[in-house]
Amino acid sequence: MTNQIAAPAYSTALTKISNTFFPMIEQQLTGNGLSMDHYAKQCVMSAISSINAVLDSKNVTWHDQQLDKSNVTQTLLTVASLKLNAAASPREVYFQMRNVKKKVDGKDVWNKQIEMGIEGDGNDAILSNFGRGVKEVHQFWLVRSEDKFEYPTYRGIEMEPPVWQPKGVGDVVRVVYPITKASGQVEYHIAEREDVSKNLIAHINNNLMNETFGIAESRFKANTKQKQEIDAKKREILNKVKELGLAALDDEGVQQHVSPAWKEPQSRESMIIRKMRNNIVKKVPKDFGNAFVEMTYNEAEDESYARHRREVNENANSELLDIQPEATPVNEAEIIEEKDLESQALDIDPATGEITSEPIIQAEPERQPVTATNGPGW
């Protein structure tokens, strides 16, 4: 019988990357009281594959010095804890790369970070997994303008369900989510098309954050009068959007402050439907059952929350505070006690730990009767 040497298992570069990140993700999840089940592992594997495609498209390798590895780890933790599958169709999560400037030792350093966003169906998956008292999220209704639709009616706590007869003609004017609760009750959550104008106002307001309309070189260098003029211009645009609603997407004065996904004809309707769905799903209460999962959800959903938290983590306790301790009077009794402890120091054999000297026990001083200054000592 001959001894056969087992051939080394073949592994691709992507497999090696997965083997690098998987133990860290599983360890951190376990440390936060979460178990990494089979589906969570599948979500992480799909996320690594999608991130690899993003890096390839930008000619960036996993070993690039500018790639923020801790950001990748945090992104994979979010994917695993929320169980978002990048390989699902329609997609539940997407990834993109962004150049971020950071201060390191007082110098500006550019890093490449992976940015994660939750797609419309990702919010449905979160609602199904973490919705409070949610048993089942049914297929949502896309109600068009030419469809027959009757709103639900209520008589006390009794409800008569809505009526929908789809005809497939016209724009989508509302979205309905039928949700079965754990008690067996069915709820119908409805979002209207007109309400998306509030999302559009928030989007334009965010895009106008650094806009100066040529009044000043930048918003940071604007004086008080220039700031007032800039604010007046912004209010004028936002009031126009508030007045026109979604029709403002066709206004040339407004279009220059709107991203292409909103104003291009081929993607506008998809964006409006996505916003209507998000307006429903995000309002349904959720119970994550774990503070870490809730934190990752808030970071993924609220970019401003995530930005502020990153800023705190990066800058907290980074400034050296040179505090001079104040000289405090030392109690004379404490000095005496410290001297007593020094006198009772023991000789210990470092090899065996055996005490080689006896502690010095000092006899307590004989107490003398105290005599009051104004009277006899009784």
Side-chain angles (χ1 to χ4, degrees):
M1 183 174 180
T2 59
N3 293 330
Q4 295 181 349
I5 301 175
Y10 176 74
S11 61
T12 63
L14 195 58
T15 305
K16 294 179 181 177
I17 294 298
S18 301
N19 293 337
T20 302
F21 281 101
F22 258 108
M24 287 191 296
I25 301 301
E26 189 165 14
Q27 183 180 6
Q28 294 198 38
L29 286 179
T30 304
N32 286 284
L34 298 171
S35 61
M36 193 171 180
D37 56 18
H38 176 72
Y39 188 69
K41 292 179 181 178
Q42 181 182 343
C43 292
V44 172
M45 191 64 205
S46 301
I48 290 176
S49 179
S50 297
I51 292 173
N52 186 66
V54 172
L55 295 179
D56 282 346
S57 64
K58 302 293 182 181
N59 293 325
V60 177
T61 67
W62 288 90
H63 304 288
D64 194 305
Q65 295 294 329
Q66 288 187 316
L67 181 63
D68 191 344
K69 308 295 190 306
S70 60
N71 163 257
V72 175
T73 305
Q74 183 61 39
T75 301
L76 295 177
L77 271 173
T78 303
V79 169
S81 58
L82 297 179
K83 298 182 180 178
L84 297 173
N85 193 350
S89 179
R91 290 191 308 176
E92 296 177 352
V93 63
Y94 68 90
F95 304 96
Q96 61 187 14
M97 195 171 66
R98 174 177 293 187
N99 293 321
V100 178
K101 184 170 65 175
K102 298 173 64 176
K103 284 283 187 183
V104 178
D105 297 333
K107 298 180 181 178
D108 293 336
V109 178
W110 287 93
N111 281 338
K112 300 180 184 299
Q113 290 189 347
I114 295 297
E115 188 178 84
M116 189 201 81
I118 300 176
E119 300 267 26
D121 287 82
N123 286 314
D124 288 4
I126 292 174
L127 177 60
S128 298
N129 292 328
F130 304 103
R132 180 181 299 166
V134 172
K135 181 180 180 182
E136 183 178 4
V137 180
H138 299 276
Q139 177 63 39
F140 55 88
W141 303 353
L142 294 180
V143 182
R144 298 183 179 274
S145 58
E146 300 298 324
D147 295 347
K148 179 183 178 182
F149 182 80
E150 295 179 7
Y151 287 94
T153 55
Y154 291 86
R155 187 179 299 276
I157 61 173
E158 300 295 330
M159 181 196 66
E160 188 172 340
V163 176
W164 177 41
Q165 293 182 2
K167 297 181 180 178
V169 180
D171 294 334
V172 176
V173 293
R174 66 184 58 87
V175 175
V176 181
Y177 266 78
I179 298 176
T180 300
K181 306 301 288 288
S183 61
Q185 181 184 1
V186 180
E187 296 179 350
Y188 297 89
H189 297 262
I190 303 174
E192 302 291 342
R193 185 184 183 93
E194 288 76 13
D195 292 338
V196 179
S197 61
K198 298 176 183 176
N199 300 92
L200 178 61
I201 292 174
H203 169 72
I204 295 176
N205 188 43
N206 187 55
N207 286 352
L208 291 175
M209 183 181 298
N210 294 319
E211 182 61 61
T212 61
F213 307 99
I215 298 175
E217 183 178 351
S218 71
R219 69 185 179 102
F220 302 104
K221 296 181 179 179
N223 55 36
T224 304
K225 183 181 178 182
Q226 290 172 330
K227 287 181 180 178
Q228 291 175 349
E229 294 177 0
I230 293 171
D231 290 341
K233 286 279 187 181
K234 290 181 179 179
R235 283 197 300 271
E236 182 182 343
I237 294 173
L238 295 177
N239 288 336
K240 180 187 288 188
V241 178
K242 188 176 181 180
E243 179 183 350
L244 296 176
L246 293 180
L249 292 171
D250 295 322
D251 187 279
E252 294 182 357
V254 175
Q255 281 186 344
Q256 57 182 322
H257 307 296
V258 180
S259 66
W262 276 92
K263 62 185 179 184
E264 297 297 336
Q266 69 273 13
S267 59
R268 178 187 302 184
E269 193 65 17
S270 298
M271 174 64 78
I272 293 173
I273 294 174
R274 184 186 307 168
K275 292 298 179 184
M276 281 193 282
R277 292 176 59 189
N278 289 344
N279 289 344
I280 295 176
V281 174
K282 291 183 179 179
K283 289 180 180 177
V284 179
K286 300 173 184 64
D287 184 3
F288 295 97
N290 186 291
F292 176 76
V293 181
E294 182 183 6
M295 183 186 68
T296 54
Y297 173 76
N298 290 332
E299 286 190 350
E301 280 294 302
D302 191 346
E303 175 59 25
S304 61
Y305 173 84
R307 185 172 61 252
H308 286 104
R309 186 171 178 275
R310 283 196 298 267
E311 185 176 351
V312 169
N313 290 338
E314 291 170 0
N315 300 319
N317 303 323
S318 61
E319 183 179 356
L320 178 62
L321 300 178
D322 188 10
I323 301 176
Q324 297 294 334
E326 296 181 357
T328 54
V330 180
N331 192 345
E332 185 178 355
E334 294 178 356
I335 297 176
I336 295 174
E337 289 179 358
E338 289 181 358
K339 289 182 177 178
D340 291 343
L341 291 174
E342 291 176 357
S343 64
Q344 294 185 5
L346 304 178
D347 295 330
I348 301 176
D349 189 335
T352 63
E354 183 181 0
I355 300 176
T356 57
S357 65
E358 295 293 334
I360 301 173
I361 301 175
Q362 297 180 350
E364 292 185 1
E366 186 177 355
R367 296 182 179 275
Q368 300 294 328
V370 180
T371 303
T373 56
N374 297 328
W378 292 30

